[in-house]
Amino acid sequence: MIQPSRIQPLNRRSVQDGRYVLYWMQASQRVECNHALEYAVGEANGRNLPVVVAFGLTDRFPEANLRHYVFMLEGLEEVREGLQRRGIRFVLQHRSPELAATALAEDAALVVTDRGYLRIQRQWRRHVAANAPCAVVQVESDVVVPAETASPKEEYTAGTLRPKLQRILKGYLIPLHERPVRKDSLALRLDVDAVKDAAALARTMPIDRSVPPSAAFRGGTSRANALLEDFIAAKLRHYADRRSDPGLDYSSHLSPYLHFGQISPLAVALRVWGEKSAPAAAREAFLEELIVRRELGVNFALYNERYDEYGSLPGWAKKTLADHAKDRRDALYDEGQWERAETHDVYWNAAQREMVLTGKMHNYMRMYWGKKILEWSRTPQEAFRTALRLNNRYELDGRDPNSYAGVAWCFGKHDRAWPERRVFGKIRYMNEAGLRRKFDMPAYLEKVAALERGR
């Protein structure tokens, strides 16, 4: 089912006579459970037209590097194969996305696109809406509940968003069924320069190559589905109790795939909630992370134009950090020391090395990691910049609404005031004694060491 609230016209132009319906794929990089794709198929079927799917590959996406591009291109190869099985032509262009879409819109009856929440993604869609000669329709598919439907404003905490989602969630936890394609587009002649070998392109693109591909994760919907099934079979029933322990491995590892749109959050939610062999508490804990927390990040990026700046923090957080800006720090590190994991804290260093090697860090350690950057930087503003830069550089799910919200959380966003202390002021505090008290931290250190030995 495609709920009407997922569908938003981006301009006032009408559907025109055209050779095809164009689905400009950008955020939802998958064939399975993709509302925008199924909407495009339905519109094309109703007009007896084929569907063409286009993707514009820019080599200038802010802060993206080889790690991100390789993972994304691995997924796009699966997109090509999946569309071909459905009789849909996939056109990958080495071109800025808005220009690739606008060029193919010239012969389109209608342009359908998915939704992105970051500044650059919104700019691309505004450009296409303004320059396409036909109607442009956006179909939201990378959240369970459409963002404006969930809330018309920026939410203060998960506690304010949660009840709004809970009131309407049932109406969105409905499977999306694949529609048959009535008219094949594989032989359609198009006057575009399409990329035929994505792997070869990745070797020649003028991009930042200083960060190698992940040693642990490959891109693609098939890999995401395999991880999901492994999570459900081996981890879900214990998720509520064990997910926070960095010495264990009870994470789903789906965040990189959700970031690139290689798996649908709706499909994941339905699969997990339908697993009745797992306790309800475990399923609810997972859906809290997947829906409430993740969509709180979307809400943040959508309604706060400064989502990637220190200025996005709430007033109380900025005030308390300013009040303690001159407090004595027990240690200070420069940019290179942070990057090379050269602090005095073996747990922080292990978390940094895990991220650098794999492109992913255990979520609890990610919070600890951010808190320590705040504690051992010269100013809170410098700490914010350091945390965001390292996160976006190495994490496969960096440059994402969830990542921006996660970094900001370490500095007080979506949180409350806590008892006051040095450096942190009223910002929530975390320390290594707490790690040792709660978890088997030698097991975490060994897990990271094993990753390094096996790379």
Side-chain angles (χ1 to χ4, degrees):
M1 177 181 179
I2 304 176
Q3 296 86 355
S5 54
R6 294 187 182 276
I7 303 165
Q8 179 184 359
L10 296 186
N11 62 18
R12 295 184 178 180
R13 297 187 180 93
S14 59
V15 177
Q16 65 177 9
D17 290 334
R19 300 174 56 212
Y20 46 80
V21 168
L22 176 67
Y23 167 33
W24 167 35
M25 176 186 286
Q26 210 63 48
S28 304
Q29 298 171 25
R30 63 183 182 274
V31 177
E32 298 177 5
C33 196
N34 183 334
H35 295 81
L37 173 59
E38 299 309 327
Y39 180 87
V41 170
E43 290 295 309
N45 286 346
R47 293 172 170 79
N48 196 32
L49 291 172
V51 177
V52 171
V53 177
F55 187 94
L57 182 65
T58 177
D59 44 35
R60 297 183 180 180
F61 195 94
E63 298 182 272
N65 55 51
L66 182 64
R67 170 169 294 176
H68 306 119
Y69 278 101
V70 166
F71 189 91
M72 181 173 69
L73 287 168
E74 287 168 346
L76 289 174
E77 276 304 299
E78 287 197 6
V79 167
R80 185 195 302 277
E81 293 164 4
L83 289 172
Q84 187 166 0
R85 286 193 294 270
R86 293 184 67 180
I88 299 174
R89 178 149 180 208
F90 180 57
V91 181
L92 174 63
Q93 289 187 273
H94 184 196
R95 193 176 187 185
S96 190
E98 79 283 14
L99 300 181
T102 302
L104 281 165
E106 291 297 323
D107 288 332
L110 167 71
V111 175
V112 179
T113 189
D114 42 41
R115 185 171 196 182
Y117 304 95
L118 302 186
R119 194 175 298 113
I120 189 171
Q121 294 172 318
R122 286 180 270 160
Q123 289 170 353
W124 287 340
R125 285 157 180 79
R126 285 196 295 268
H127 177 96
V128 174
N131 291 280
C134 59
V136 179
V137 177
Q138 176 178 275
V139 183
E140 195 166 9
S141 192
D142 284 338
V143 289
V144 175
V145 178
E148 285 94 349
T149 305
S151 176
K153 63 183 181 67
E154 184 178 2
E155 292 296 330
Y156 190 70
T157 67
T160 62
L161 180 61
R162 188 180 299 108
K164 295 180 179 181
L165 287 169
Q166 288 173 338
R167 282 194 294 270
I168 59 177
L169 185 58
K170 186 177 179 181
Y172 290 93
L173 287 173
I174 299 173
L176 176 68
H177 298 294
E178 186 177 292
R179 298 176 174 181
V181 174
R182 292 182 183 167
K183 196 161 185 179
D184 189 298
S185 63
L186 295 179
L188 193 66
R189 294 176 62 87
L190 299 172
D191 187 22
V192 294
D193 185 16
V195 174
K196 294 181 174 58
D197 187 341
L201 175 64
R203 292 192 290 270
T204 60
M205 288 175 68
I207 56 176
D208 176 6
R209 296 178 177 274
S210 61
V211 181
S214 168
F217 298 99
R218 287 182 56 83
T221 298
S222 64
R223 181 58 183 149
N225 286 334
L227 286 170
L228 175 59
E229 293 307 314
D230 176 69
F231 171 73
I232 289 171
K235 305 175 185 180
L236 176 58
R237 65 180 299 101
H238 300 294
Y239 183 78
D241 301 325
R242 301 180 184 178
R243 71 185 186 278
S244 294
D245 191 334
L248 302 175
D249 182 12
Y250 280 84
S251 299
S252 70
H253 300 300
L254 291 177
S255 64
Y257 302 90
L258 289 164
H259 167 75
F260 284 98
Q262 295 176 359
I263 193 168
S264 160
L266 173 62
V268 175
L270 290 170
R271 181 70 182 86
V272 168
W273 187 247
E275 186 57 42
K276 301 304 183 184
S277 65
R283 290 178 285 140
E284 288 166 1
F286 182 81
L287 294 182
E288 167 75 11
E289 299 296 328
L290 176 70
I291 301 175
V292 178
R293 299 288 175 170
R294 183 172 178 273
E295 296 187 13
L296 181 64
V298 168
N299 173 275
F300 175 46
L302 179 63
Y303 291 116
N304 193 318
E305 283 296 325
R306 304 184 71 184
Y307 62 80
D308 55 352
E309 301 174 17
Y310 184 82
S312 67
L313 301 180
W316 71 266
K318 287 184 284 190
K319 181 181 185 306
T320 195
L321 289 170
D323 290 344
H324 291 268
K326 297 185 185 298
D327 289 1
R328 178 181 59 82
R329 271 72 173 158
D330 292 333
L332 288 173
Y333 297 104
D334 61 31
E335 190 170 301
Q337 289 171 306
W338 289 121
E339 194 146 16
R340 295 188 299 270
E342 293 175 350
T343 78
H344 66 280
D345 184 332
V346 294
Y347 306 132
W348 193 96
N349 293 345
Q352 173 70 10
R353 295 199 309 273
E354 179 186 19
M355 177 177 69
V356 169
L357 178 63
T358 70
K360 193 173 182 297
M361 187 191 300
H362 187 279
N363 196 48
Y364 195 92
M365 293 307 298
R366 205 165 175 174
M367 296 186 291
Y368 178 81
W369 173 89
K371 295 291 185 182
K372 295 294 114 176
I373 293 176
L374 170 59
E375 186 174 0
W376 301 325
S377 294
R378 289 164 181 80
T379 67
Q381 292 87 347
E382 177 186 300
F384 190 94
R385 290 191 298 270
T386 297
L388 199 58
R389 187 187 72 82
L390 291 174
N391 180 87
N392 288 356
R393 177 171 171 76
Y394 291 105
E395 293 277 6
L396 282 167
D397 66 2
R399 308 157 298 114
D400 182 271
N402 238 190
S403 277
Y404 288 115
V407 168
W409 179 88
C410 296
F411 295 75
K413 184 69 181 176
H414 298 147
D415 206 357
R416 62 175 177 85
W418 291 74
E420 199 159 5
R421 62 169 59 238
R422 181 165 54 89
V423 179
F424 283 82
K426 297 177 182 179
I427 303 297
R428 184 194 299 253
Y429 178 68
M430 295 174 73
N431 66 10
E432 64 179 276
L435 292 179
R436 289 195 298 267
R437 184 176 67 253
K438 295 176 183 178
F439 309 122
D440 182 357
M441 293 309 294
Y444 177 65
L445 297 180
E446 174 53 31
K447 183 172 76 172
V448 175
L451 288 170
E452 292 178 311
R453 290 193 297 271
R455 65 181 168 182

